[in-house]
Amino acid sequence: MSDQLQKFMFDAAPVRGEYVSLDATWRAVLERHDYPAPVRNLLGEMMAAAALLTANVKFDGALILQLHGDGPVSMVVVECNADLTMRATAKYSGEIPEDASLKSMLNVNGRASFAITLDPRVKQPGQQPYQGVVPLSDEHGPLPDMASVLEHYMHHSEQLDTRLWLAADEDHAVGVLLQKLPGHGGTAGSGAERAPEEDEDTWNRVCHLGNTLKRDEMLSTDRETMLHRLFWEETVRVFDPLPTAFRCTCSRERVSNMLRTLGEAEVMSVFDERPSLDVACEFCRQTYHFDKVDAAQLFTEQSHAAPAGQH
């Protein structure tokens, strides 16, 4: 099975790692959209990153990565649920050169922004999703790629040293994550304590090994071969792999609720110009059809659902 996320731990230090490969999951997104190569690769890298980050969060809900810019690419959104089911979409306009950078696609010096949102599956009354805004620049200027953006966020917002390597093409989206965990000392049950500098040495060593990864290798090498090539001299504990899959959470009910938020007057005004209202999901391209009777019924049902004490 190629669509999997593999977790692993280093016995020599409190360092954890993850590897994810999205093949069918990624192609399910591309079957529904036609993107220029730079947009496609950016979206694939964000999907791999979303899976890696979600696997480290004890959270029943969705992790959402959102890029917004005022360059040729106006929006990129990836949503990953706790069970590693995912969906993704992007909006762009005009011609985008093959060598377009993150900076040029989003106009990072303009109003570009990046946010990470944790949206709980079951919300308590008054509960709002948690959102962290991620800078696209540091003190040296615009960050060059998505891996750098996320590393910057994890270091400054989560106080966790994190390294990511991401790659995507028309067939695969792949990611590797290494993360230095808080604390130091021997592995549980080993009876041996390590000095902090030993942990630091291991962290620096495995990051150096990660830096030898090249894009072509990531996209053409299977998980076992790549991890063995990188860490064959390390003592690594490997856990059972987790499957990933494409899944869109759109539904007629959700679209109906969205239309209700627009208000009856605005929705019904559509029928002054056309016989039906069609709403297409930006993620999966599923189209939901409403005629005038369907639309009117949305607001009839809403009024009937009002509490009996209201007059």
Side-chain angles (χ1 to χ4, degrees):
M1 183 176 180
S2 57
D3 285 49
Q4 292 182 335
L5 184 140
Q6 178 79 67
K7 293 184 178 184
F8 52 95
M9 289 283 295
F10 293 88
D11 280 352
V15 176
R16 66 183 171 195
E18 294 173 0
Y19 168 92
V20 68
S21 175
L22 308 176
D23 295 346
T25 306
W26 174 224
R27 289 194 293 270
V29 172
L30 297 183
E31 287 168 2
R32 293 162 170 83
H33 303 276
D34 184 19
Y35 296 121
V39 179
R40 176 200 69 205
N41 295 345
L42 173 61
L43 186 63
E45 290 178 5
M46 286 178 62
M47 283 191 72
L52 294 169
L53 296 177
T54 299
N56 276 336
V57 179
K58 292 181 172 63
F59 176 75
D60 185 14
L63 182 144
I64 304 167
L65 305 183
Q66 298 179 76
L67 268 175
H68 295 276
D70 58 359
V73 176
S74 58
M75 181 190 76
V76 185
V77 180
V78 174
E79 182 179 301
C80 185
N81 298 297
D83 62 358
L84 298 183
T85 55
M86 312 176 70
R87 62 180 188 168
T89 189
K91 286 186 177 180
Y92 72 96
S93 60
E95 295 292 327
I96 298 181
E98 287 286 327
D99 60 350
S101 64
L102 180 68
K103 176 183 175 181
S104 65
M105 285 192 287
L106 293 166
N107 187 13
V108 169
N109 293 326
R111 296 189 298 253
S113 64
F114 181 53
I116 297 180
T117 304
L118 293 176
D119 189 14
R121 184 175 62 86
V122 178
K123 296 182 178 65
Q124 301 300 319
Q127 182 181 13
Q128 297 297 320
Y130 164 79
Q131 186 173 83
V133 177
V134 183
L136 293 173
S137 302
D138 62 12
E139 62 273 16
H140 304 296
L143 294 164
D145 50 38
M146 279 309 307
S148 301
V149 171
L150 289 164
E151 289 171 0
H152 186 71
Y153 170 78
M154 295 300 294
H155 179 73
H156 291 279
S157 298
E158 304 297 327
Q159 285 78 55
L160 288 174
D161 287 329
T162 305
R163 295 298 313 277
L164 289 117
W165 295 267
L166 306 170
D169 62 11
E170 67 274 15
D171 295 312
H172 312 286
V174 180
V176 177
L177 175 147
L178 294 175
Q179 194 167 74
K180 184 181 178 184
L181 302 175
H184 70 276
T187 302
S190 67
E193 289 292 322
R194 296 186 307 271
E197 55 268 21
E198 293 182 70
D199 290 347
E200 192 67 25
D201 286 345
T202 300
W203 170 246
N204 290 334
R205 184 172 66 253
V206 297
C207 287
H208 175 74
L209 293 170
N211 283 335
T212 66
L213 281 172
K214 303 300 181 186
R215 179 176 183 272
D216 289 347
E217 178 189 14
M218 293 180 68
L219 295 171
S220 62
T221 307
D222 63 81
R223 178 186 69 228
E224 291 82 2
T225 302
M226 185 187 301
L227 293 181
H228 177 74
R229 199 277 287 173
L230 288 174
F231 306 124
W232 66 274
E233 291 186 308
E234 306 293 328
T235 303
V236 179
R237 285 178 289 151
V238 178
F239 302 93
D240 291 337
L242 304 171
T244 72
F246 174 85
R247 189 185 77 198
C248 190
T249 54
C250 72
S251 66
R252 188 174 182 85
E253 179 182 5
R254 287 191 170 199
V255 174
S256 297
N257 290 335
M258 180 274 293
L259 293 174
R260 290 188 184 103
T261 65
L262 297 177
E264 184 174 6
E266 183 170 347
V267 170
M268 298 309 292
S269 69
V270 172
F271 298 98
D272 295 337
E273 300 178 0
R274 64 189 72 171
S276 66
L277 172 60
D278 296 313
V279 181
C281 174
E282 294 181 350
F283 291 92
C284 69
R285 299 300 195 191
Q286 171 71 38
T287 299
Y288 296 91
H289 174 84
F290 296 82
D291 60 23
K292 194 169 185 178
V293 174
D294 295 328
Q297 192 173 8
L298 294 177
F299 300 97
T300 302
E301 293 170 349
Q302 187 178 40
S303 63
H304 287 168
Q310 292 186 2
H311 298 283

